[in-house]
Amino acid sequence: MATIYSIAEHCGVSPSTVSRAFSRPDLVRAEVRAKILATAQELGYQPNRNARGLARGTTGAIGLTVPDITNPFFPPLVRAVENLAWHQSQSVLLVDTGEDLDRERQALLRLREQVDGIVMVSPRAASNVLRDALAGTRGVLINRASRLLPHVIVDDAPAIDVALGRLAELGHERVAYLGGPADSWMNSRRRSLLHATAPEHGLEIHDTGSYPATPEGGRAAVAALLDSRATAAVAFDDVMASGVLVELAARGVSVPSELSVLGCDDVILSSMLNPALSSIASAPAKLAAAALAALVDTELAVGLTAIPSSFVERISTGPRP
Amino acid sequence: MATIYSIAEHCGVSPSTVSRAFSRPDLVRAEVRAKILATAQELGYQPNRNARGLARGTTGAIGLTVPDITNPFFPPLVRAVENLAWHQSQSVLLVDTGEDLDRERQALLRLREQVDGIVMVSPRAASNVLRDALAGTRGVLINRASRLLPHVIVDDAPAIDVALGRLAELGHERVAYLGGPADSWMNSRRRSLLHATAPEHGLEIHDTGSYPATPEGGRAAVAALLDSRATAAVAFDDVMASGVLVELAARGVSVPSELSVLGCDDVILSSMLNPALSSIASAPAKLAAAALAALVDTELAVGLTAIPSSFVERISTGPRP
DNA sequence: GTGAAAGCGCTAACAG
DNA sequence: CTGTTAGCGCTTTCAC
């Protein structure tokens, strides 16, 4: 394997010069540098990251923890993080915590030794636990406020405002909120935004309770939804909403003519459903970019970056029956 | 930060003893070991992986490249790989190549320096390019045969046999195959399996051509499908099939009463669709396990591990109209 | 500009 | 069983 030594020998210079040619090119005479880079190329040299990391105290990698990559909300986020990291020559260490708080903590302990910073999606863990597990390693929370850690969240306010406005325009008066997991930060957030925004549009919000953020959760919520006499429903996320659509179809309730349904997150899935789901869209690429920025920007010691969401109207929403 | 030196000092032993206490516990007297482990715990010691990697020539990480993690086929696979790796104290470096062959090659060059082995999902790249980029680093291909690299593929034969048998039983005679990307290995494989298996069930396969493996690809395939006068259609994958369902609904063709539709891969999505999609299921967890095993098992120098698939019948398939 | 030398934290012979 | 001694490949003063 090519090392700076083999290159040095090849070029008749010292290893330090080769090292400089890569890390501080300006400190090396142009022709020497050119020669070094050329033979590096030729020998297929790739710096050994362990060695570099050991010497520099840095790793060239960032950690990314998600609760369940199988949830369609995450892949676009992971993809965006990976992409951005790639372009800054960083690698991404991914860990799927399986919604297991203890495993999540373990993962942070393990990751913090091998990365320069960690992006965490953790809707449930107590943030002091996270802070302690990080032990000084830079960490950024996604979609979760915290007084202890920098965080980046999608701000659903604008989209919720638009969505409710649109529902009002369509003649709806009573809107049900099909809640997600009670301990999820985004769930509380969405619920309170709905309640806060509804009056401005002359709408009434009816809470149907908390359900798992799964298709089954959505199906289970339908009974309460039908009882509520609401003419439109907002589900905690699109995955739940998919279950709602399935269950409504099974019960012969047609969407949107008898009932309007909207989801949140606008995952890829939403446009594949039948009827295509109207949704409150987060912007995963922006979330990722903000998170990565916050990982570096120490100004933002414990700050918040908010990414505005938008409302995507498809065909699961229509006029009040 | 705690190191083996601080622990050694703390315990009045030499650094090497501390090192052994972790890597070769049997070589250290029990009480000494206990003391070391205790103070390690107390000091919050975590071995520095760069140092360890440098000294051992090993990294404790494996690479995983996927073409597009946003495709629902991949998250369960990624999850399974990550999970298994976790339990063997390995980390996973993920890279999403964005279906870009050149970027994929770059990624391998970069990864090979920082991992002990690479699991690649690469339906298109020439396998000699992959082999060269690996430059000796152990690499395993998923869902793609190769004479140059060890590989693990799902063997669709059993499930296709069952599925076609079932279609025959339901009275179908003419089945359309809605092909995926022409250069995808799995696409050719599925097509030939269908053609090979159909006669045994008295079925005729009609190829409708190649389409992108996207919902739009599926929608686009519908025209040819309807022209084909087939009464059942197998799509290259579930994502395409979702588009087929959408387009059929738009055209007022009802599934399964007028046309049966099946997908491949059985991604999570499939059960959320309306009607729920019958699908030829790969077993991502088994794929992952086999791939990881193949990464270690040098016996399997350039071998093949086949994972049998199964047929999941939902409600998009029914009797011939 | 460039080289020599020390060291990042850990492992792995090699002696005892 | 345990300590001593070299490195692993790269970065980084400090001289020249």
Side-chain angles (χ1 to χ4, degrees), chain B residues 172 231 254-261 275 314-321:
Chain B
H172 296 274
T231 56
S254 96
V255 176
S257 55
E258 294 178 68
L259 190 60
S260 290
V261 176
R314 297 209 177 80
I315 59 188
S316 65
T317 40
R320 174 185 176 190

Side-chain angles (χ1 to χ4, degrees), chain A residues 30 113 198 237:
Chain A
E113 293 301 317
D237 72 4

Side-chain angles (χ1 to χ4, degrees), chain A:
Chain A
M1 207 170 48
T3 70
I4 54 171
Y5 294 97
S6 50
I7 297 178
E9 199 171 355
H10 215 93
C11 297
V13 298
S14 86
S16 6
T17 303
V18 177
S19 172
R20 286 191 198 98
F22 291 107
S23 37
R24 316 283 310 278
D26 49 308
L27 297 184
V28 177
R29 188 155 41 99
E31 36 181 305
V32 179
R33 192 196 324 146
K35 184 168 182 191
I36 290 175
L37 295 179
T39 73
Q41 181 75 35
E42 177 188 339
L43 270 49
Y45 169 75
Q46 288 283 336
N48 177 319
R49 296 197 110 149
N50 280 328
R52 177 175 289 182
L54 187 52
R56 286 216 277 230
T58 195
T59 68
I62 64 167
L64 174 59
T65 70
V66 297
D68 174 11
I69 195 166
T70 264
N71 179 321
F73 176 72
F74 296 112
L77 183 68
V78 170
R79 181 170 221 210
V81 169
E82 202 278 324
N83 238 299
L84 291 164
W86 171 267
H87 287 112
Q88 45 197 62
S89 299
Q90 295 255 337
S91 319
V92 174
L93 281 174
L94 177 75
V95 4
D96 180 318
T97 64
E99 318 250 17
D100 175 336
L101 261 38
D102 189 56
R103 167 139 175 211
E104 175 172 52
R105 211 181 57 85
Q106 303 287 352
L108 294 182
L109 297 181
R110 212 194 259 187
L111 278 177
R112 73 178 194 214
E113 293 301 317
Q114 34 188 338
V115 301
D116 299 334
I118 306 184
V119 176
M120 301 168 283
V121 188
S122 178
R124 294 186 179 62
S127 74
N128 62 329
V129 171
L130 298 177
R131 194 254 335 256
D132 293 349
L134 285 173
T137 305
R138 187 87 185 152
V140 175
L141 267 172
I142 287 196
N143 272 1
R144 169 89 130 84
S146 161
R147 286 193 326 290
L148 303 170
L149 295 166
H151 49 280
V152 176
I153 67 177
V154 0
D155 178 11
D156 279 334
I160 284 184
D161 189 49
V162 174
L164 292 186
R166 182 70 182 124
L167 287 178
E169 202 174 296
L170 289 166
H172 296 274
E173 289 173 352
R174 190 167 166 78
V175 176
Y177 177 58
L178 314 181
D183 53 354
S184 148
W185 188 88
M186 274 309 262
N187 179 56
S188 325
R189 171 83 179 150
R190 284 175 179 156
R191 185 197 311 283
S192 30
L193 277 174
L194 285 169
H195 283 284
T197 314
E200 302 168 20
H201 300 286
L203 294 174
E204 200 180 328
I205 300 290
H206 177 84
D207 274 316
T208 61
S210 285
Y211 300 90
T214 60
E216 294 69 39
R219 301 190 67 152
V222 166
L225 165 57
L226 295 177
D227 280 350
S228 75
R229 300 180 355 273
T231 57
V234 178
F236 164 65
D237 72 4
D238 290 342
V239 174
M240 270 187 72
S242 77
V244 172
L245 292 179
V246 168
E247 181 66 18
L248 287 175
R251 296 187 182 222
V253 178
S254 96
V255 176
S257 54
E258 294 178 68
L259 191 60
S260 289
V261 176
L262 22 183
C264 291
D265 292 341
D266 189 34
V267 301
I268 341 82
L269 165 70
S270 315
S271 54
M272 303 185 192
L273 297 177
N274 219 334
L277 187 69
S278 297
S279 188
I280 288 167
S282 340
K286 285 185 191 157
L287 262 185
L292 253 29
L295 221 42
V296 179
D297 177 13
T298 35
E299 296 291 289
L300 187 75
V302 183
L304 158 70
T305 312
I307 309 294
S309 61
S310 57
F311 177 55
V312 180
E313 188 168 9
R314 297 209 178 79
I315 58 188
S316 65
T317 39
R320 173 183 177 193

Side-chain angles (χ1 to χ4, degrees), chain B residues 203-255:
Chain B
L203 294 175
E204 201 181 327
I205 300 290
H206 177 84
D207 274 316
T208 61
S210 285
Y211 301 90
T214 60
E216 293 68 40
R219 301 190 66 152
V222 165
L225 165 58
L226 295 176
D227 281 350
S228 75
R229 299 180 355 273
T231 56
V234 178
F236 164 65
D237 73 4
D238 290 343
V239 173
M240 269 187 73
S242 78
V244 172
L245 292 180
V246 167
E247 181 65 18
L248 287 175
R251 296 186 183 220
V253 178
S254 96
V255 176

Side-chain angles (χ1 to χ4, degrees), chain B residues 62 64 73-85 88 119 121 140-143 152-154 282-296 305 307:
Chain B
I62 64 167
L64 174 59
F73 175 71
F74 296 112
L77 183 68
V78 171
R79 182 170 221 213
V81 169
E82 203 278 323
N83 238 299
L84 291 164
Q88 45 197 61
V119 175
V121 188
V140 175
L141 269 172
I142 287 197
N143 272 0
V152 176
I153 67 176
V154 359
S282 341
K286 288 185 190 158
L287 261 185
L292 253 32
L295 221 42
V296 179
T305 312
I307 308 293

